[in-house]
């Protein structure tokens, strides 16, 4: 019988046709994020994750053949960096909504610890590069739609530097909240929104 490779080089045989319970899968995702936030990705123990979720290791082995696949599906399950981007009627209003949605994501205590570790892990190895790139691209798609709407309203030039504009929208929040560990008040966001509107117009 074929053996499946598991974290740390260990191998396990498939355990048969046990029923995959959605509620346990959700508990395993939550336990994985908690473990990741405490230890960093490299030190995540699937055995400890299972224990946190009140399950046995077989519950993980039945679902994912490796820690990397577990991590990828966990991220996809919560779409941790995907943001709503509804049309607010103007570029300024869209920027303000984008900033508030981004702040809400970055305020989450697990996100604040996992995202920097993702970036650091990418520098140490290529294992998580595709995962981090996927998160970044998913977020930027919302930014592209924001820019598309502004172009359609004739608020922005069609030939603006999109990459620069998208970097500007996210970088100030990330720098203050994740890198510096500071907070943005509503008044701070309002001032930032005005500054970013002018900056994006100049791109």
């Amino acid at each position: 019988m074929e053996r499946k490779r598991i974290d740390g080089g260990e191998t396990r045989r498939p355990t048969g046709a046990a029923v995959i319970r959605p509620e346990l899968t959700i508990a395993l995702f939550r336990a994985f994020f908690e473990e990741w936030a405490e230890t960093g990705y490299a030190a995540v123990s699937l055995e400890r994750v299972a224990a946190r979720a009140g399950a046995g290791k077989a519950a993980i082995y039945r679902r994912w053949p490796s820690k990397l696949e577990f991590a990828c599906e966990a991220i996809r399950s919560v779409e941790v960096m995907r943001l709503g981007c509804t049309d607010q009627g103007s570029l300024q209003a869209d920027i303000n909504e984008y900033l508030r949605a981004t702040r809400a994501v970055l305020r989450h205590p697990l996100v604040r610890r996992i995202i920097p570790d993702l970036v650091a892990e990418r520098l140490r190895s290529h294992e998580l590069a595709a995962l981090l790139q996927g998160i970044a691209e998913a977020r930027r798609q919302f930014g592209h739609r924001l820019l598309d709407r502004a172009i359609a309203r004739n608020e922005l030039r069609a030939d603006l530097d999109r990459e620069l504009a998208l970097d500007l929208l996210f970088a100030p929040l990330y720098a203050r909240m994740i890198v510096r560990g500071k907070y943005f008040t509503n008044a701070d966001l309002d001032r930032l929104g005005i500054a970013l509107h002018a900056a994006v117009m100049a791109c």
Side-chain angles (χ1 to χ4, degrees), residues 5-190:
R5 185 176 181 83
I6 304 298
D7 175 45
E10 184 182 358
T11 58
R12 295 277 173 175
R13 294 182 183 276
T15 56
V19 175
I20 300 296
R21 294 186 290 125
E23 66 274 15
L24 179 53
T25 301
I26 293 170
L28 288 168
F29 285 150
R30 183 169 56 250
F32 187 83
F33 286 130
E34 291 170 353
E35 173 80 4
W36 189 346
E38 285 188 12
T39 69
Y41 177 81
V44 166
S45 161
L46 297 186
E47 184 172 3
R48 288 197 301 267
V49 169
R52 280 177 182 268
K57 288 187 292 183
I60 292 177
Y61 302 148
R62 281 195 296 269
R63 289 165 170 80
W64 306 284
S66 70
K67 183 170 74 174
L68 177 59
E69 292 194 27
F70 191 174
C72 289
E73 190 168 341
I75 291 290
R76 286 193 295 268
S77 75
V78 297
E79 299 181 327
V80 70
M81 291 303 289
R82 292 177 184 264
L83 303 174
C85 197
T86 58
D87 189 347
Q88 299 297 301
S90 70
L91 175 60
Q92 183 68 76
D94 279 357
I95 288 173
N96 291 345
E97 183 201 29
Y98 183 88
L99 291 175
R100 280 165 172 73
T102 302
R103 180 182 64 174
V105 170
L106 296 183
R107 286 176 66 180
H108 193 288
L110 296 183
V111 171
R112 290 168 67 87
R113 298 170 72 177
I114 288 172
I115 294 299
D117 185 67
L118 261 173
V119 176
E121 193 64 31
R122 183 181 188 179
L123 297 176
R124 289 190 289 264
S125 77
H126 296 295
E127 184 177 10
L128 293 181
L131 175 58
L132 185 58
Q133 184 65 22
I135 294 172
E137 287 305 313
R139 284 197 65 264
R140 290 173 85 84
Q141 287 306 311
F142 288 102
H144 279 298
R145 287 197 281 275
L146 181 155
L147 298 177
D148 287 340
R149 290 198 299 270
I151 291 170
R153 299 187 200 103
N154 294 316
E155 294 178 284
L156 290 175
R157 304 187 327 274
D159 63 346
L160 85 161
D161 186 336
R162 282 178 173 262
E163 292 304 305
L164 177 57
L166 294 177
D167 287 344
L168 287 169
L169 287 173
F170 183 66
L173 284 171
Y174 185 88
R176 182 180 294 190
M177 297 183 69
I178 300 300
V179 177
R180 298 178 58 212
K182 304 295 184 180
Y183 183 67
F184 267 99
T185 65
N186 288 336
D188 291 334
L189 283 189
D190 289 341

